[in-house]
Amino acid sequence: MTPREPRRLVAVAASVLDQAASSLTNILVLVLAARLSSADGFAAFSMVYVAFSVLLGVNMAYVGQTVVLESGAGVGAVCRSAVAFTGLGSLTAGALLAVAGLVLGGSSGGAFLALGAVLPVALGQDGLRYCFSALRQPQRALAADVLRLACVVAALTTQPHGVSPARLVLVWGLSALPALALGLWLLRPFTAGARADVRPYLRRGHLGQRFLVEFAVGNGSSQLAVLGLGVIATPLAVGALRGATTLFGPLNVLFNSANAFGPPLLGRFRGKRRVVRATLGLGGVLAVVGAGWGAVLYALPDRLGRELLGATWGAASALLPATGAQYAVMGLGTCALLTLRVLSPKATLSVQVVFSLLSVGFLLGGYALWGAPGAAWGLAAGSALKALAAWYRVSRVEPQPRPAQDGTSAATVAA
């Protein structure tokens, strides 16, 4: 083992643990909110949380994914600019949400008004994770996110039963203040003396615009698939598909970790061959884990399965082989797209657009032919084709200079 290997393993472990802490925070927020709220109150809170999740994804695509591709001496200035742009953008979006809340009125309007007030805190705290990733300091992101997890759980558990959705949103958002303060303090040594410049984010051709389209297509196609299936399928089929996918939540943590923190770690490898070798190995590991997790779930006794999904377990368990196969090939596809993101960032858009929409067609066509199992195998087939197309694109592409934040060429990660 070379002297760098232990540090690389520590960085990988910190990245995965940080993503796990972030995902656990989101899960616990919904669980605690459901326990504290009435049915109507939780419905209002859920709508607000969905809106926040969309804005979080937009910020991740437009700002976060471009930040993690940066390397070299100018990363500190890029991070300061990203924090400034996130702050300004969240203030603007927060003002629009506040106006929408005033127009809506009622408990839902109050919740959206509260989200507008706390949005800069919540988005700003999450955005720091990508700065630490670019700086190759995932342990600092982990420290801030663990504090965030502790604060939000402590804040929500002290609320009375039947609390209003607006108060829940305020408490949830303001509980991020300690983590935001810690994150900014940990970031300060790397940005001292750097000047923030948000103009590159507003220019035509900014790389984040392509990533935003990818997010919109990927997220939009999944929502379209759910809506389309809800129109032609029975509620039992939709619930079974949702339930089977939910059981694979831990794997989403691993996939998100690869996307968020993979580029800076892969930047330590020199040359396309070493990058591909590393991502192929990671993809193989994720594929084995996905298939193994599916096998474990399929082997669960019905008693334990019902503890997890209740009455939905019977229908969902029949879909586990297909869903396990889908997540196995998703591991390979995620790493192929990660390879393209590092070697040639502009090459991922066409793959994402074409095969995300193709997966929707396979989902609906599979249900029309074979019901819920056909829909699940349709998703697996779409994921497999996306993985094949992405790896084929990897074999054809040559590393390209990534556009820097100032619009000039930057050195490639695999220089």
Side-chain angles (χ1 to χ4, degrees), residues 24-52:
L24 182 59
T25 299
N26 293 332
I27 293 171
L28 289 180
V29 165
L30 291 173
V31 170
L32 292 172
R35 290 183 176 181
L36 292 168
S37 306
S38 64
D40 291 338
F42 183 66
F45 181 86
S46 297
M47 286 195 303
V48 169
Y49 207 75
V50 167
F52 169 73

Side-chain angles (χ1 to χ4, degrees), residues 13-251:
S15 300
V16 174
L17 289 174
D18 176 64
Q19 185 62 45
S22 179
S23 299
L24 182 59
T25 299
N26 293 332
I27 293 171
L28 289 180
V29 165
L30 291 173
V31 170
L32 292 172
R35 290 183 176 181
L36 292 168
S37 306
S38 64
D40 291 338
F42 183 66
F45 181 86
S46 297
M47 286 195 303
V48 169
Y49 207 75
V50 167
F52 169 73
S53 299
V54 171
L55 292 172
L56 194 68
V58 168
N59 188 65
M60 176 274 294
Y62 196 84
V63 181
Q65 287 297 313
T66 59
V67 170
V68 298
L69 290 175
E70 290 295 331
S71 61
V75 176
V78 170
C79 289
R80 172 161 284 195
S81 300
V83 171
F85 181 79
T86 298
L88 293 173
S90 58
L91 283 171
T92 303
L96 295 175
L97 285 170
V99 172
L102 291 173
V103 173
L104 282 174
S107 61
S108 296
F112 276 104
L113 182 61
L115 178 61
V118 300
L119 187 65
V121 177
L123 275 187
Q125 189 274 323
D126 185 83
L128 293 176
R129 300 168 60 234
Y130 300 98
C131 294
F132 289 125
S133 176
L135 293 165
R136 300 179 182 177
Q137 297 289 326
Q139 64 274 15
R140 297 185 182 230
L142 175 60
D145 282 333
V146 168
L147 179 61
R148 167 66 168 143
L149 173 60
C151 289
V152 74
V153 171
L156 290 179
T157 52
T158 59
Q159 300 305 303
H161 184 74
V163 62
S164 70
R167 178 171 169 177
L168 267 182
V169 173
L170 282 175
V171 170
W172 158 76
L174 294 177
S175 66
L177 276 172
L180 175 62
L182 175 63
L184 291 174
W185 180 72
L186 292 173
L187 184 65
R188 185 177 178 183
F190 302 96
T191 59
R195 186 176 64 89
D197 184 9
V198 301
R199 290 174 298 176
Y201 291 98
L202 304 175
R203 292 174 185 161
R204 183 178 181 181
H206 172 62
L207 191 57
Q209 295 167 6
R210 298 181 68 90
F211 297 156
L212 183 59
V213 173
E214 289 184 25
F215 169 77
V217 171
N219 188 67
S221 64
S222 63
Q223 297 302 320
L224 178 63
V226 173
L227 290 173
L229 191 62
V231 171
I232 66 173
T234 64
L236 179 61
V238 177
L241 199 60
R242 285 281 196 178
T245 304
T246 300
L247 293 175
F248 285 82
L251 295 186

Side-chain angles (χ1 to χ4, degrees), residues 293-301 313 317-321:
W293 185 251
V296 169
L297 292 173
Y298 190 68
L300 279 180
W313 168 255
S317 61
L319 308 185
L320 290 175

Side-chain angles (χ1 to χ4, degrees), residues 328-406:
V329 294
M330 277 175 62
L332 291 170
T334 296
C335 291
L337 292 170
L338 176 61
T339 309
L340 287 175
R341 185 65 52 87
V342 171
L343 298 178
S344 181
K346 294 183 177 181
T348 58
L349 179 60
S350 58
V351 176
Q352 288 278 43
V353 170
V354 172
F355 288 93
S356 293
L357 297 177
L358 191 62
S359 293
V360 175
F362 282 166
L363 166 70
L364 300 178
Y367 180 81
L369 293 174
W370 298 294
W377 282 111
L379 285 175
S383 296
L385 287 177
K386 181 188 283 189
L388 286 173
W391 280 113
Y392 175 76
R393 191 69 181 269
V394 168
S395 69
R396 304 281 295 180
V397 77
E398 292 297 328
Q400 299 174 6
R402 294 190 309 272
Q405 295 295 325
D406 60 358

Side-chain angles (χ1 to χ4, degrees), residues 267-286:
R268 303 180 183 186
F269 295 100
R270 295 184 177 276
K272 175 183 175 180
R273 180 174 297 178
R274 294 193 64 190
V275 172
V276 172
R277 187 182 304 163
T279 52
L280 267 175
L282 177 60
V285 170
L286 292 179

